[in-house]
Amino acid sequence: MFEDVLSRSTIQERKRAIVKTLCYRFFMIVITVVVAWAVVGNVGAALSIGLVSNLLKTVTYYVYERTWDHITWGLTQPN
């Protein structure tokens, strides 16, 4: 039933997904800290907000990315 939707083959290596995740999150940390600093006016609080929220987002993004690597829906099959 789910054979057409799920694939056990790895489309993307885990190392690549980790590197992509970390690079993306680095930029998001910088943006979050700058915005938090502008809102709260305190560098320490801004760093705390940026680091904690982005740590959680990094983990959820990695799980999301790996989940989609097992879904073949919308991909064209090579001939």
Side-chain angles (χ1 to χ4, degrees):
M1 177 177 174
F2 292 105
E3 292 82 21
D4 293 337
V5 177
L6 297 176
S7 169
R8 291 291 167 208
S9 65
T10 304
I11 295 171
Q12 173 172 233
E13 287 187 29
R14 289 181 188 199
K15 289 179 187 177
R16 177 179 162 85
I18 290 170
V19 170
K20 283 175 54 181
T21 300
L22 294 176
C23 290
Y24 177 78
R25 290 320 315 167
F26 172 77
F27 292 116
M28 295 305 102
I29 288 170
V30 171
I31 290 169
T32 303
V33 169
V34 169
V35 170
W37 185 19
V39 171
V40 299
N42 180 302
V43 175
L47 286 169
S48 294
I49 292 167
L51 293 175
V52 170
S53 68
N54 280 285
L55 178 64
L56 179 61
K57 291 175 184 179
T58 299
V59 172
T60 57
Y61 176 80
Y62 178 77
V63 171
Y64 179 81
E65 182 79 14
R66 295 302 300 163
T67 300
W68 271 99
D69 281 345
H70 295 284
I71 299 173
T72 60
W73 175 81
L75 296 175
T76 57
Q77 298 297 326
N79 294 334

